[in-house]
Amino acid sequence: QVQLVEFGGGLVQSGGSLRLSCAASGRTSSIYYMGWFRQAPGKEREFVAAITWSGVNTYYADSVKGRFTISRDNAKNTVYLQMNSLKPEDTAVYYCAAGRGSRLYADYDYWGQGTQVTVSS
């Protein structure tokens, strides 16, 4: 099993920044990708960004490319999502995930509890 704990959500004004963190513990040897997904009220959960466990490759949704950066700290087994130039449409619950895939929800086996990000206009 893998446990994921997220930190860093909150309320920010449009154009502001937030950094989310996700600490992984447990059987981390089974992880190939770490990802971030988000879910806004009334919408399906959508892919935001992903990074290989090695940290070499990163992937982004078109909607966040150039504004968000995913990274990881190998020593701390922690993944970060730096979110800049935030927009009201970025408002959602953000979930950290770990698993076998890159962009597909179904390829992730473990999920964090979610953290709320609210961007005011």
Side-chain angles (χ1 to χ4, degrees):
Q1 292 292 322
V2 173
Q3 293 78 44
L4 302 173
V5 180
E6 300 144 348
F7 303 92
L11 173 64
V12 65
Q13 288 188 333
S14 181
S17 299
L18 280 176
R19 188 175 82 155
L20 306 182
S21 303
C22 175
S25 61
R27 195 165 170 261
T28 57
S29 60
S30 65
I31 299 173
Y32 292 92
Y33 288 85
M34 294 287 293
W36 289 95
F37 287 73
R38 67 186 181 187
Q39 189 166 18
K43 295 187 176 181
E44 293 186 352
R45 194 169 298 190
E46 66 173 0
F47 170 76
V48 175
I51 188 168
T52 50
W53 188 244
S54 64
V56 172
N57 298 109
T58 58
Y59 309 85
Y60 296 95
D62 288 343
S63 59
V64 306
K65 200 172 295 183
R67 300 188 297 122
F68 292 10
T69 302
I70 189 170
S71 62
R72 71 178 303 266
D73 183 327
N74 291 347
K76 296 181 179 179
N77 282 348
T78 298
V79 174
Y80 304 97
L81 185 68
Q82 177 66 44
M83 305 184 294
N84 298 328
S85 302
L86 282 161
K87 305 174 182 180
E89 52 263 44
D90 294 318
T91 295
V93 177
Y94 283 69
Y95 296 91
C96 175
R100 300 157 285 128
S102 60
R103 297 176 180 269
L104 298 179
Y105 174 92
D107 287 339
Y108 286 85
D109 303 306
Y110 305 101
W111 294 85
Q113 79 280 7
T115 185
Q116 177 71 45
V117 171
T118 303
V119 184
S120 63
S121 57

